[in-house]
Amino acid sequence: MHSAVFLIEFGAIILALGLLGRFAGRFQFSPIPLYLLAGLAFGEGGLLPLGASEEFVAIGAEIGVILLLLMLGLEYTANDLVSNLKTQYPAGLVDCAFNALPGAIAALLMGWGPVAAVVLAGVTWISSSGVIAKVLNDLGRVGNRETPVILSILVLEDLAMAIYLPIITALLAGVGWAAGSLTLAIALGAAGLVLFLAVRYGRLISRFVSSDDPEKLLLVVLGLTILVAGIAQQLQVSAAVGAFLVGIALSGEVAEGAHSLLAPLRDLFAAVFFVFFGLHTDPASIPPVLLPALALAVVTALTKIASGYWAARRAQVSVKGRWRAGGALVARGEFSIVIAGLAVAAGIEPSLGPLATAYVLILVIVGPLTARYTEPIAVFVGGRLAKRRGPAVAGVAAEAAEAAEAAAAPVPGPREALESLDGQDAGDRS
């Protein structure tokens, strides 16, 4: 009887997720908000609370995080990561300062303490690569001059996660400074070792994993990823970081083959993860934090636009391209929920989960809108200001706008960037 109830509940969840995904695809927006709302509906205090299948959903959610990070690692080679670190690290530092500080300050103002401040800083800092990639593809901006800048910031944020997640894990576990420093040292050492092996021996590793049989390739890559993730978690590093490093170590045809084989599994378990997060959020707890979440969303949307504008300006992109870069980076999604999920599991602050849920719901909806309309609004406002300053200034502004539009014409981007964007969608990482 128990197994029958489990099958009915879990089957209903999967069916509901499939229908929600189709609905989101029909209207061309990210299914993340719908998955979160489904979790709220099935969770405690919702319309149809689960019972028998909740434990299995929890395991599926953990696998979902592992697959999200593995697939992210498969998108980048070790050489890409090293190159981005060397050339774009100032943009990454500005992005961190502009967007992490508002979250940390908000947590401290609400009296949540320093650990919650570090957690909320990560929630407001990291953009959603999946949603952003989907939006850029839908808007036809894959070859634009500002797109490499956007990708560089996303890569740097993903790299920062390899350091940030172990710190959060140690803080949430309540370990001392010595143990926390050891955990971080292990994480950095592991990341450095994997990057070194990937740069020097990436082809050998890929050759070892490679197989012409899709079934064998799937089993080897999936088994290796879960094994390394388990070892990483046992060492108090992070299962997600372990999976991310495995993805980086694989390259070439192996990475492409693994990506295509694992994409359906990632979609399934990533959706389960968002449902699981919603399950642990009482819908009644969201209204009290809705105003703080909205205020934080407005502030960090503006800071993301500012940091993207600065990074594009540094790369000598046209004015219009700078606004497009800033607007495209606003969406938050999977990483924000992953970070908040760790805090919710540790039970450090009851209101953190509801706040993160409301925050992500707002920005995952607003993000595609800012990507589309930030540049036209900025151009309109700039034109109005130029007209007020006089005809001469307006003429100069018009000439500058024409030059900027010509400079912002789409150009062929790196093949890796195109594959990275075409290979992701909003539901994947979302």
Side-chain angles (χ1 to χ4, degrees), residues 219-407:
L219 292 174
V220 171
V221 173
L222 185 60
L224 177 64
T225 302
I226 295 178
L227 175 64
V228 172
I231 294 173
Q233 187 161 312
Q234 189 68 24
L235 294 174
Q236 298 296 318
V237 176
S238 171
V241 170
F244 179 68
L245 295 176
V246 170
I248 292 174
L250 303 179
S251 60
E253 295 182 359
V254 174
E256 294 177 4
H259 191 285
S260 61
L261 290 171
L262 290 168
L265 285 177
R266 173 200 53 190
D267 295 343
L268 169 62
F269 287 107
V272 171
F273 166 73
F274 288 110
V275 170
F276 178 74
F277 185 83
L279 289 175
H280 286 72
T281 302
D282 187 351
S285 64
I286 291 182
V289 298
L290 192 56
L291 286 179
L294 180 60
L296 195 58
V298 171
V299 171
T300 54
L302 295 175
T303 55
K304 269 293 180 183
I305 292 173
S307 58
Y309 185 98
W310 186 90
R313 181 181 179 182
R314 180 175 177 271
Q316 298 181 342
V317 176
S318 68
V319 175
K320 288 187 176 181
R322 298 171 196 173
W323 288 114
R324 287 195 296 266
L329 288 167
V330 167
R332 311 304 202 275
E334 63 284 349
F335 278 134
S336 298
I337 297 298
V338 168
I339 295 166
L342 294 174
V344 170
I348 63 164
E349 174 55 51
S351 299
L352 183 56
L355 178 67
T357 301
Y359 176 79
V360 170
L361 281 171
I362 293 169
L363 287 185
V364 82
I365 295 172
V366 172
L369 299 178
T370 59
R372 185 184 297 267
Y373 296 113
T374 297
E375 177 223 333
I377 291 174
V379 171
F380 174 78
V381 173
R384 298 280 293 185
L385 292 176
K387 288 180 179 179
R388 289 183 179 181
R389 292 175 182 174
V393 178
V396 174
E399 293 177 4
E402 292 177 2
E405 186 173 358

Side-chain angles (χ1 to χ4, degrees), residues 10 13 53-54 93 150 182 187 229 233 265 360 373:
F10 192 66
I13 292 173
S53 61
E54 186 170 355
L93 294 175
I150 297 171
L182 178 62
Q233 187 161 312
L265 285 177
V360 170
Y373 296 113

Side-chain angles (χ1 to χ4, degrees), residues 162-163 185-197 241 245 248:
I163 300 174
I186 293 173
L188 292 176
L193 178 62
V194 170
L195 286 175
F196 172 78
L197 293 176
V241 170
L245 295 176
I248 292 174

Side-chain angles (χ1 to χ4, degrees), residues 177-187 235:
W177 283 104
S181 300
L182 178 62
T183 298
L184 180 58
I186 293 173
L235 294 174

